[in-house]
Every structure is written in structure tokens, then in C-alpha cells.
Amino acid sequence: MAFRILSLDGGGIRGVIEAVILTEVEELIDRPLNQYFHLIAGTSTGSILAAAIATGRKSKEILELYRRKGKSIFPYTSRWSPQRLPLILQYGLSAPKFSDQGLINALKEQFGSTRLSDLDTSPRLLITAYDTIDRQTIVFKSWQKYKPWADSPLWEVCVSSSSAPTYFPAHLMKTPDKNYSLIDGGVGANNPSACALAEALRLDNAIQEISLLSIGTGNSNNPITFEKVRGWGMGQWIWEGRLIQVLFDASADVNDYITRQVMSSPELQDGASPRYLRLQPIINKDMMDDATDDNINRLIDLAHNYIKENQEILVNFVQNTGH
């Protein structure tokens, strides 16, 4: 029996790209995404998409969430904005760029009182975060009932996965057993495909029966030249989230490599597999926090053009893995 996985990368407002691609996937399969995929994995903005899909939202609804709530989550683009002053007064000059209140309010409105444990049946939901206290990756799984965080609100799990260092404060999750200091899961698995594949195998699914659709938020084509980077210190790396973006890109690429190798037959030298598809557009503006209307529209157009160029590949994947 086929076991279908959907994996969604992190990337802030660039999750718009994933939402547009998912709209096309939904049209191709002609049914709700949560009735097609057996396991949905997400990190950061991908966790919000994954949770929304798992709870029955349509892709167009999620795209509207970015349109309506993007500016409340990312209210400005410059770290020198006067709106950031309360954060500086609270945390000092090294304060995160944004408060997490806009993010929390948007996700509370979206998911209400739904808890992670409410999603214990198909599709299963997997979300990643990182605990700075125990210094380990946390993999939230909707089907694990014995974990301290099993009954945590879904909105809180998504906030934890989305608390990107330098952008948002760490999130304190309190449970009856212990407390967690959680930051963005992208520091370890910005592309959670390898995590999802490992779980599918642990759930006794044969590798031959697993198909995996992995969607990214865009791969930057802006090189950081050796002449620039060789002299950079802490200030230059931290500025405009450069280090975080590089770490997230590297994490996504490594997980893509692992997934591709595990899913592919050894005799295929190029690592191709008809059961694994990675959709990752090239972008020339990789800011994760530009929620202006112009940028959102630009991301939507980019995603539509990418789908047009890769329509045949996507159709073939759905046809080959839909049984």
C-alpha cells in the first residue's frame, strides 16, 4: 500500500511559494491534501502550512493567511524601525528583530483550541524545533501520546518551530513535566524530508511503497563571493540574517541529499527516483521577512511561473505515486 509524504521547508514569508505550489497539487489530485497524504512534515513557515493542511484547510485559504497576517507577523523590514524600540528596551540592542505577538495572535486565530494530539489519525503531523536547554532537536509527532508536549496547543507548536534566531524571541513551552526553550527547527532540519522519511520507515512502511513530495521556499541565486566572506566577522554574518539564511539553506540541501540517496536505487547514478520529487524554485531576493504586498505578489508570480515550467514533472509524479 502506498504511503505518501508531504514535506514543507521553512523560509518565513516565502512560504507563499509553497502555498501556491500546493494549490496546483490540490487541483491535480482533485481532493483535499489531508485526504491524500499520510504524513505531513513542516518546519517554521512550513510547520504552519503543514498544520493547516492536516486540519483540513485548503491551500488557497493558507495563501490568504499570508496575505492577511503577513504584515502583523513581519510589520517592518528595517531593524532601525521605530516600531522595534519596545524590543530594544526589553532586551537591549541585540534584541530580536520582531516581537512574536503578531505570530502568536495569527496562529491562535487560525488553530484555536486544537491540540497536537487531536491529529493522531491520518494524516500524521510532524513538526521540528530546537530546545536550547537540552541542546537537542525536538520532533513533534501528533501520534506520540507519551511525550510531555503531546497535548500542547497546535498554535504553540507552530510558534516554537517558527521562532527563528535573530528574527523572533525563543518560545518558552511549559508542560507538566518540564519546560522547553524552543527556537526554529530550521537550525537542524529546515527541510524536514529526511525526518519524515525516517518516521515512515519506523512505522513499518517499505521504502518501495513510500513516495515523498518535498517543497522548498526558494533557493537563492545571489552568491556570497570569497572576496566578501573571507573577512566577515560576527557583525557582517549576523547583519540582515545572513548567517541564519546560510544555515537554513545548508540544512535544506543536506536533508535533500539524505532523502534522495535513501529513496534512490543504487544503480541510478544521478540519484533519480520516480517516488521522490523536490520542488525548489530559484529566487533572486531571499529575504524571509518582507511581507509587503509587492513582495508577496512577486512570490506568487514566481511560483506560478515555476509551476508552468515544471508542470509535466509534477503531473508525472502524481500519476506515478497516486495509487
Side-chain angles (χ1 to χ4, degrees):
M1 180 179 176
F3 188 87
R4 292 184 287 270
I5 301 172
L6 174 63
S7 175
L8 301 167
D9 285 21
I13 198 64
R14 284 160 32 197
V16 166
I17 294 172
E18 294 175 311
V20 172
I21 294 175
L22 286 169
T23 300
E24 180 67 21
V25 174
E26 205 166 18
E27 291 180 2
L28 284 175
I29 63 176
D30 195 27
R31 69 180 106 160
L33 295 169
N34 68 329
Q35 295 178 18
Y36 183 78
F37 291 100
H38 301 95
L39 172 59
I40 304 174
T43 295
S44 196
T45 198
S47 76
I48 300 171
L49 284 156
I53 292 167
T55 52
R57 272 76 167 180
K58 292 188 175 181
S59 303
K60 289 182 179 179
E61 294 179 62
I62 306 169
L63 182 57
E64 285 306 306
L65 173 66
Y66 284 103
R67 283 189 179 278
R68 290 186 295 105
K69 298 298 183 180
K71 290 187 182 66
S72 63
I73 297 172
F74 304 110
Y76 44 84
T77 56
S78 172
R79 288 184 178 271
W80 304 109
S81 170
Q83 292 176 266
R84 186 168 171 257
L85 183 59
L87 284 170
I88 294 174
L89 293 175
Q90 182 177 1
Y91 299 114
L93 291 175
S94 60
K97 187 173 182 178
F98 303 106
S99 164
D100 58 2
Q101 198 56 55
L103 177 63
I104 290 173
N105 291 342
L107 295 181
K108 280 185 174 180
E109 180 182 325
Q110 185 73 12
F111 299 120
S113 60
T114 302
R115 297 187 174 275
L116 181 66
S117 57
D118 294 337
L119 304 172
D120 58 343
T121 57
S122 185
R124 299 172 188 260
L125 178 64
L126 182 153
I127 290 173
T128 65
Y130 184 84
D131 179 25
T132 66
I133 296 175
D134 288 342
R135 300 292 291 271
Q136 65 178 8
T137 296
I138 301 294
V139 181
F140 295 100
K141 307 173 198 177
S142 62
W143 63 99
Q144 279 191 332
K145 302 300 183 184
Y146 60 89
K147 292 290 187 178
W149 36 255
D151 287 325
S152 296
L154 189 55
W155 68 261
E156 187 172 25
V157 173
C158 292
V159 167
S160 301
S161 181
S162 303
S163 295
T166 76
Y167 289 95
F168 295 109
H171 181 76
L172 181 63
M173 176 181 281
K174 297 181 178 181
T175 74
D177 296 327
K178 62 181 297 186
N179 293 340
Y180 298 87
S181 169
L182 297 172
I183 62 173
D184 198 305
V187 299
N190 200 46
N191 164 6
S193 61
C195 298
L197 180 58
E199 292 299 332
L201 293 171
R202 283 178 59 85
L203 292 167
D204 292 330
N205 295 284
I207 188 67
Q208 296 84 1
E209 299 297 326
I210 297 172
S211 65
L212 199 158
L213 175 61
S214 175
I215 305 178
T217 61
N219 192 26
S220 176
N221 64 355
N222 295 320
I224 304 175
T225 65
F226 171 72
E227 287 74 20
K228 286 184 179 179
V229 77
R230 66 175 175 175
W232 280 3
M234 181 182 297
Q236 291 93 336
W237 274 113
I238 296 298
W239 186 252
E240 295 183 341
R242 290 165 173 165
L243 181 60
I244 294 299
Q245 291 176 16
V246 168
L247 290 175
F248 283 6
D249 287 348
S251 167
D253 290 344
V254 166
N255 280 275
D256 172 47
Y257 173 82
I258 294 169
T259 303
R260 192 174 301 278
Q261 295 303 310
V262 174
M263 292 287 289
S264 301
S265 300
E267 65 272 14
L268 298 177
Q269 296 299 318
D270 61 356
S273 170
R275 295 175 292 104
Y276 174 59
L277 178 61
R278 172 73 169 162
L279 298 177
Q280 177 73 306
I282 299 296
I283 56 175
N284 55 29
K285 186 179 180 183
D286 57 0
M287 289 181 65
M288 297 190 292
D289 58 351
D290 183 356
T292 60
D293 291 338
D294 285 347
N295 190 51
I296 288 177
N297 290 333
R298 184 186 64 82
L299 293 172
I300 290 172
D301 290 342
L302 183 153
H304 281 307
N305 291 333
Y306 179 79
I307 284 295
K308 287 180 183 178
E309 295 170 359
N310 293 274
Q311 182 79 21
E312 185 177 352
I313 295 173
L314 181 57
V315 169
N316 288 340
F317 175 79
V318 171
Q319 289 176 344
N320 291 332
T321 60
H323 303 292

